[in-house]
Every structure is written in C-alpha cells, then in structure tokens.
Amino acid sequence: PDMNGIEVARRIRKETGEQVPIIVLTAYDWADIEVEAKAAGVTAFCSKPLFMSELRECLYSIVNTDEEKEKRGIETEFDKVHTGRILLAEDNELNQEIATAILGDAGFTIDIAPNGQIAVDMLKKSAPGYYQLILMDVQMSVMDGYEATRQIRNLDDRKLASIPILAMTANAFEEDKQEALRCGMNGHIAKPIDVKVLFETMKKVMR
C-alpha cells in the first residue's frame, strides 16, 4: 500500500545512495516491470511463494563477498574429505529444509526423523556406519533430543551406540551445552545455524 516496491527501491537509491542489493519479491511475471525496476535500482527478482532452493540461488547470484567465498570454500574442502549420510532429527519443516539445503550443497545425503523416537528407531534399523553423524534437535515432541541420545548411547550394538551426535538448539547457554554433553552428545551447535561453525564442528567429531 501507498508505495510499491519499485518506488521504494528508487527512493532508497536516490535519497541514501546506498548500493546494498535489493531483491523484488513478486507472485507475478516480472518481465513487464524488469526494465523499469532495473532503472530504479533493483538488483534481482525472486518468485513468491518462496522456495529455499530458488531463494538460495538468488542470493548466491548477487552476494560475492570474501565471507561468502570463505564459506563456499569450507563446503568444498569438506566435500572432498567427508561425504556420506547424515540423520537429521528435527521437527520443524523449515529447519529441515534449511539444514538439508546446506548439507546437500556440501555433498551429503540427508535422512530426516521428525522426532527423537523415530531417530532412535531409524538408527537401530541401520547397519553400523550407514550414518556418519546425527544432528539432533533438542526440543522435539514425542521424545526430545536429550532422551533420544541417552537411548542411543545405551544400545546393545556398541558401534551404533557410539555414533557422533551434535545437539542443535536455539538455547546457547552454558547449562544447555553441559546438558548436551552429560547425555552423551559430542558437541553443540546454536540456531540459527552458522555454516562455518557447523562444518568446523562436524569435522571435529566425524571419523
């Protein structure tokens, strides 16, 4: 209302002089407005509804900072050293999609368990070595990540029981990290996920 996206972009360029990238989000075909939008200072376009793959592709096309190059370099290096299958225990669909996109880009195959009980069951049915790592959300329905980890560590099959497990939680307090370690997890990753921290932590615990 009151001012459309193209006019907003035009005002930003004129009144602030900032060259920060501007992406127009639209549910319509942007072919008819592309020339006007580019002249107003729009950098790129992305369709609605948003899909993670399309949004990521759009962002990669306009972001070319040293930090981004560094992150992509880490992913490439990691891909050369470690690739395989990861069990992701996560009950939030958006978080599932984000983690799958990040890890998929690095060459991993992802299996998703929507709660801790299913994660335990999936691991028990797998052969030792089938999963290289479990990324375990802490707060899940049915069974939380702490209890799921305790049950995994108590499995009769010691090879399955010793699989590396990393906690993923929005709670980044010291007591949360200590609880993760007490129940048998190998490390702790805070949400929202920092790609560099994720891969560095994974490299420390994966065999």
Side-chain angles (χ1 to χ4, degrees), residues 16-29:
T16 72
E18 291 288 344
Q19 294 305 307
V20 61
I22 299 175
I23 301 173
V24 165
L25 304 177
T26 177
Y28 306 100
D29 183 359

Side-chain angles (χ1 to χ4, degrees), residues 62-104:
I62 64 173
V63 177
N64 189 30
T65 63
D66 292 339
E67 180 181 0
E68 182 65 22
K69 289 179 180 178
E70 181 181 349
K71 287 182 179 179
R72 299 297 289 177
I74 290 172
E75 294 174 30
T76 302
E77 177 187 351
F78 199 90
D79 181 36
K80 292 177 181 177
V81 179
H82 290 287
T83 56
R85 188 175 296 270
I86 291 175
L87 178 57
L88 172 65
E90 170 65 66
D91 62 353
N92 182 283
E93 291 185 0
L94 178 59
N95 289 338
Q96 291 173 2
E97 187 175 2
I98 291 172
T100 299
I102 292 171
L103 295 166

Side-chain angles (χ1 to χ4, degrees), residues 21-23 38 43-46 53-65 68 72:
I22 299 175
I23 301 173
K38 291 286 189 180
T43 311
F45 301 85
C46 196
S53 57
E54 292 183 12
L55 177 59
R56 190 174 68 252
E57 192 73 24
C58 182
L59 293 174
Y60 283 165
S61 72
I62 64 173
V63 177
N64 189 30
T65 63
E68 182 65 22
R72 299 297 289 177

